[in-house]
Amino acid sequence: MYFCSMETQRQRKIAGVIQKDIVDILQKAAIDGGLRNTLISVSKVAVTTDLSIAKIYLSIFPNDKAGELMEGIKSNQPLIKHELSQRTRNQLRRVPELLFYLDDSLDYIENIEKSLKREENPIENRDLLPKRKKS
């Protein structure tokens, strides 16, 4: 498994195709499963240089359903891969193995903003920061 920092044009193109189709598959599955007020978006797809593995980063809103939804997506991975292969049969010879991850970057940004808006601003008051031990 080798993810290169310099993506080739082919990797970007395949990642774009996978991203577009995975969004459709997951949204349709969520609606069919009765999750009408749940938004699933694919924030990023990274494909290995040998095109054998695709890491798919998902953002799920609202966050309280994210854990159980990710478990459902991971357990239905073979069905999702089959549906993807049906949609991309004219574009891809072989569908890569799909690895799903929860993208929590929006939560991380939100926590930083909340920390900065509080009265206890660690930038202005250095005593709030944990002391680092010098080695």
Side-chain angles (χ1 to χ4, degrees):
M1 181 165 72
Y2 181 66
F3 287 92
C4 183
S5 60
M6 290 290 297
E7 274 189 325
T8 64
Q9 181 69 24
R10 182 178 168 96
Q11 283 174 289
R12 281 192 296 272
K13 191 179 267 188
I14 289 173
V17 167
I18 291 172
Q19 184 171 7
K20 183 180 144 310
D21 287 328
I22 287 290
V23 166
D24 292 341
I25 292 167
L26 294 179
Q27 284 291 3
K28 184 178 181 303
I31 290 170
D32 292 346
L35 298 172
R36 299 222 182 272
N37 295 329
T38 303
L39 178 67
I40 302 171
S41 65
V42 178
S43 54
K44 183 179 178 183
V45 175
V47 182
T48 56
T49 52
D50 63 353
L51 310 176
S52 65
I53 299 172
K55 285 187 174 182
I56 301 167
Y57 295 90
L58 303 174
S59 292
I60 300 171
F61 185 81
N63 286 346
D64 58 334
K65 297 178 181 177
E68 70 179 70
L69 208 54
M70 281 302 291
E71 289 299 317
I73 289 169
K74 287 179 180 179
S75 66
N76 289 316
Q77 188 267 347
L79 295 171
I80 295 169
K81 184 175 178 177
H82 177 71
E83 178 67 26
L84 182 64
S85 70
Q86 295 300 310
R87 290 172 178 243
T88 61
R89 66 177 171 256
N90 295 328
Q91 296 160 312
L92 300 175
R93 275 189 229 144
R94 195 170 149 252
V95 175
E97 179 185 344
L98 306 177
L99 302 176
F100 293 98
Y101 298 95
L102 187 60
D103 184 9
D104 58 353
S105 58
L106 293 176
D107 294 334
Y108 182 72
I109 292 169
E110 188 177 319
N111 287 337
I112 290 173
E113 287 178 358
K114 282 181 184 176
S115 295
L116 292 175
K117 287 179 182 176
R118 283 191 298 194
E119 295 169 15
E120 304 166 347
N121 190 338
I123 294 173
E124 295 170 359
N125 185 359
R126 294 279 182 194
D127 295 333
L128 296 172
L129 295 172
K131 301 292 182 202
R132 292 188 179 155
K133 294 180 182 177
K134 293 181 181 179
S135 51

